[in-house]
């Protein structure tokens, strides 16, 4: 058990202003896995003041991007040196199957860090453009003090997606991890300290929603980078709008996997289903609606049920396990509630629907496949965030499948599976989501933009777009004959 009695403010471990604590509960054992201080508004005020001073007066924004990237290189190397330990820590916090966690929760963040290290030397922070009236230096400067707020489902991944571009840009950051997953965030703080991050640049304050709201509204914050639910994202967007504060939002999803009538299921399902139930179904990009042509519907249902039934459920620290427990008891209640709702709405459970037998501890739900689902049902419209799939029939060809995929408030991800990539590309272009998989097992490539249409978010993380979220552009009109050093 790893516990902390201090908060990480500006690179120092300091006593919290209040006395509240957060117990991290291991969702497999239901036992306390660690305790951390519950940061208060006074701690936020202190961290923002430190970050403000480091931004306005400190060395970090004035160093070159390449110098800042050196710190990130060390952070990436340190994480790579302890992949197993980090994966087991995250699995203990929130139940992610450890073999998936090692790749997606730990190795992927190092890829993100490494990508932004590379971009630090190739990105044009300064450009001289030929304007209408003379030459103009377009300088891209750090946006200022950033509030980074993350959810519990892929905690280190989201931390890397925000901290790597923010720090390469030259921002200082107050990072509020979710209260369910503070331990990996504090481990990351230790790694940043060892990597030589200057004083004041990073604070890590585990806390709940109210303190998060205080951080968002704090006048010392220039930009909010938020990942979490659409409900919270709307509140944060409204608060930032009132203050004309910069913000970007990565929110929920209800992605549709479209199987075209020529699909080879033996090729498609081994790529699709791990993406449908990834991270116990607690993934924003999970492909939880499976759209199948009516005349192959039963064949698809049988194949999906057979593959999902073969997924091993159990202790997520077992490398063979594909589905572990949900993050918390309230999350299991929520998922079980949706399983009831689906049945009340007239959908049928073809697999699962209950708790796995033989497991008497932990917040497990059986991987569940609903069939005879209509896209208007709540189980097809709302984000369940658990291992629950809805197989939805469509008639009338590819256009009908696109229309059903688009019949959603969300627009985060999606996929199409076909023997004809040209036909698949037409479907991909028709679906209004920020990322798409065309016969591909890869939902996100960190060198390209990722984010949501509609209620799945505003802004794009990853790639140069993700760096630009943390930059302000300034146009400096130059006198004739002057060539600035850039
Ligand atoms: P959540 O919105 O409840 O909480 C996310 C974070 O925001 C937590 O740190 C929480 O304490 C904080 N928070 C909540 N309300 C706040 C407010 N009003 N002001 C400031 N901070 C606030 O979400 P969650 O349950 O932790 O995470 C699951 C959600 O995150 C799902 O909807 C999932 O789809 C989404 N998600 C999206 C992406 C993406 O990239 N689009 C990635 C991962 C998760």
């Amino acid at each position: 058990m790893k516990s902390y009695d201090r908060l990480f403010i500006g690179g120092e471990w300091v006593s919290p202003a209040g006395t509240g604590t957060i117990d991290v509960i291991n969702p497999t054992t239901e036992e306390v896995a660690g305790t951390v201080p519950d940061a208060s508004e006074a701690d936020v005020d202190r961290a923002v003041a430190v970050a403000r001073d480091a931004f306005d007066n400190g060395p970090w924004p004035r160093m070159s991007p390449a110098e800042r990237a050196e710190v990130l290189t060390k952070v990436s190397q340190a994480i790579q040196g302890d992949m197993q330990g980090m994966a087991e820590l995250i699995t203990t916090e929130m139940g992610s199957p450890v073999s998936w966690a090692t790749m997606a929760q730990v190795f992927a963040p190092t890829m993100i860090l490494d990508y932004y290290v590379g971009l630090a030397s190739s990105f044009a922070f300064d450009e001289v453009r030929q304007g209408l009236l003379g030459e103009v230096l377009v300088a891209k400067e750090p946006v200022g003090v950033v509030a980074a707020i993350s959810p519990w489902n892929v905690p280190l991944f989201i931390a890397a997606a925000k901290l790597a571009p923010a720090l390469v840009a030259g921002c200082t950051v107050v990072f509020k991890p979710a209260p369910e997953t503070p331990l990996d965030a504090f481990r990351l703080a230790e790694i940043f300290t060892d990597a030589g991050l200057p004083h004041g640049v990073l604070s890590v304050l585990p806390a709940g929603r109210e303190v998060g709201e205080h951080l968002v509204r704090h006048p010392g914050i220039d930009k909010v980078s938020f990942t979490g639910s659409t409900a919270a994202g709307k509140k944060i967007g409204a608060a930032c709008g009132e203050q004309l504060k910069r913000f970007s939002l990565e929110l929920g999803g209800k992605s549709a996997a479209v199987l075209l009538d020529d699909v080879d299921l033996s090729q498609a399902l081994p790529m699709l289903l791990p993406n449908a139930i990834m991270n116990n179904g607690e993934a924003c990009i999970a492909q939880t609606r499976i759209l199948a042509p009516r005349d192959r519907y039963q064949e698809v249902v049988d194949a999906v049920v057979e593959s999902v039934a073969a997924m091993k459920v159990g202790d997520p620290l077992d490398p063979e396990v594909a589905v572990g427990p949900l993050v918390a008891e309230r999350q299991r209640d929520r998922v079980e509630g949706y399983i009831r709702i689906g049945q009340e709405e007239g959908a049928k459970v073809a697999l699962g629907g209950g708790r796995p037998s033989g497991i008497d501890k932990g917040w497990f739900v059986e991987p569940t496949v609903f069939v005879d689902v209509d896209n208007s049902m709540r189980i097809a419209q709302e984000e369940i965030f658990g291992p629950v799939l809805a197989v939805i029939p469509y008639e009338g060809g590819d256009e009908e499948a696109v229309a059903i995929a688009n019949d959603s408030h969300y627009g985060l991800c999606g996929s199409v599976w076909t023997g004809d990539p040209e036909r698949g590309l037409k479907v991909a272009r028709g679906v209004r989501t920020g990322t798409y998989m065309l016969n591909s097992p890869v939902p996100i490539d960190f060198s390209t933009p990722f984010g949501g249409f509609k209620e799945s978010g505003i802004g794009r993380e990853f790639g140069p777009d993700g760096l630009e979220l943390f930059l302000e552009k300034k146009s400096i009109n130059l006198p004739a004959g002057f060539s600035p050093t850039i």
Side-chain angles (χ1 to χ4, degrees):
M1 182 166 120
K2 178 83 178 167
S3 286
Y4 294 81
D5 60 4
R6 282 159 192 256
L7 294 168
F8 186 79
I9 295 188
E12 282 166 35
W13 292 94
V14 302
S15 295
T19 54
T21 56
I22 298 171
D23 283 340
V24 178
I25 312 289
N26 180 336
T28 311
T29 62
E30 301 180 25
E31 284 164 11
V32 177
T35 301
V36 299
D38 189 3
S40 62
E41 293 186 1
D43 296 311
V44 167
D45 295 344
R46 183 170 172 188
V48 174
V50 168
R52 187 79 260 163
D53 183 53
F55 185 78
D56 293 338
N57 306 309
W60 186 252
R62 289 150 198 95
M63 287 161 62
S64 71
E67 285 170 324
R68 292 192 289 263
E70 281 174 27
V71 173
L72 296 186
T73 301
K74 290 185 193 151
V75 170
S76 172
Q77 287 167 349
I79 296 172
Q80 285 179 48
D82 185 25
M83 298 250 295
Q84 189 67 19
M86 205 67 169
E88 286 175 5
L89 179 62
I90 294 172
T91 295
T92 303
E93 288 178 299
M94 51 66 64
S96 186
V98 75
S99 32
W100 188 84
T102 306
M103 290 310 297
Q105 302 261 26
V106 184
F107 182 64
T110 69
M111 288 175 74
I112 297 168
L113 286 158
D114 293 347
Y115 170 75
Y116 281 106
V117 167
L119 193 65
S121 7
S122 62
F123 186 80
F125 286 90
D126 280 342
E127 289 173 68
V128 176
R129 294 193 197 169
Q130 183 58 52
L132 296 175
L133 304 172
E135 285 193 323
V136 182
L137 170 62
V138 179
K140 293 169 201 158
E141 301 182 351
V143 68
V145 179
V146 170
I149 301 179
S150 67
W152 46 263
N153 67 324
V154 274
L156 188 65
F157 181 100
I158 306 284
K162 298 189 180 316
L163 296 183
L167 294 175
V168 162
C171 297
T172 59
V173 183
V174 178
F175 172 39
K176 192 200 85 60
E180 293 82 358
T181 49
L183 300 175
D184 68 277
F186 273 170
R187 178 76 196 104
L188 185 63
E190 291 165 349
I191 291 172
F192 266 107
T193 305
D194 293 346
L197 190 70
H199 174 79
V201 177
L202 177 65
S203 296
V204 179
L205 299 180
R209 173 168 311 180
E210 288 78 19
V211 171
E213 283 178 16
H214 182 71
L215 174 62
V216 165
R217 290 186 174 276
H218 199 293
I221 294 293
D222 297 302
K223 145 100 193 174
V224 177
S225 173
F226 174 76
T227 299
S229 63
T230 293
K234 286 181 179 178
K235 284 192 188 158
I236 289 168
C240 291
E242 271 174 31
Q243 297 176 317
L244 288 185
K245 202 170 259 180
R246 282 85 185 109
F247 66 96
S248 46
L249 306 172
E250 292 286 346
L251 309 176
K254 190 76 188 178
S255 297
V258 178
L259 303 175
L260 296 189
D261 57 13
D262 65 350
V263 66
D264 178 343
L265 291 176
S266 67
Q267 285 190 5
L269 293 189
M271 292 190 273
L272 162 59
L273 291 177
N275 273 298
I277 295 202
M278 63 160 86
N279 207 26
N280 311 328
E282 296 166 319
C284 54
I285 50 174
Q287 311 285 301
T288 48
R289 291 186 290 154
I290 298 179
L291 275 47
R294 171 63 80 190
D295 54 7
R296 293 188 64 187
Y297 188 67
Q298 196 53 47
E299 181 195 349
V300 169
V301 167
D302 292 345
V304 168
V305 165
E306 187 186 341
S307 301
V308 175
M311 292 180 175
K312 186 173 175 187
V313 181
D315 182 349
L317 286 172
D318 173 352
E320 300 293 314
V321 159
V323 183
L326 298 172
V327 66
E329 192 171 19
R330 65 159 200 288
Q331 187 67 14
R332 183 173 64 179
D333 290 347
R334 173 188 162 93
V335 172
E336 290 181 336
Y338 274 110
I339 292 173
R340 275 194 300 279
I341 289 168
Q343 289 166 301
E344 284 160 17
E345 288 180 310
K348 292 195 180 58
V349 172
L351 179 74
R355 296 181 184 177
S357 59
I359 301 179
D360 53 7
K361 264 215 174 343
W363 296 304
F364 289 88
V365 171
E366 283 180 310
T368 297
V369 178
F370 270 109
V371 297
D372 297 342
V373 180
D374 186 276
N375 197 58
S376 62
M377 293 177 181
R378 286 183 64 193
I379 56 165
Q381 288 291 324
E382 297 176 21
E383 189 180 42
I384 297 175
F385 232 54
V388 181
L389 303 182
V391 189
I392 303 172
Y394 68 89
E395 336 210 3
D398 301 2
E399 292 77 19
E400 177 65 12
V402 169
I404 295 174
N406 281 333
D407 178 16
S408 172
H409 295 293
Y410 294 112
L412 191 58
C413 191
S415 58
V416 61
W417 307 88
T418 172
D420 179 353
E422 280 299 339
R423 209 176 138 196
L425 184 58
K426 204 168 163 212
V427 170
R429 288 190 192 279
V431 177
R432 291 180 54 76
T433 65
T435 41
Y436 212 74
M437 302 147 71
L438 166 48
N439 286 347
S440 164
V442 181
I444 307 176
D445 182 314
F446 306 130
S447 66
T448 58
F450 167 78
F453 280 43
K454 301 192 264 183
E455 293 195 4
S456 287
I458 293 182
R460 292 291 180 273
E461 289 189 335
F462 300 126
D465 316 71
L467 180 58
E468 288 185 356
L469 291 177
F470 298 100
L471 296 169
E472 287 274 20
K473 287 185 185 142
K474 179 189 285 175
S475 296
I476 304 172
N477 295 289
L478 303 176
F482 173 66
S483 293
T485 318
I486 58 172

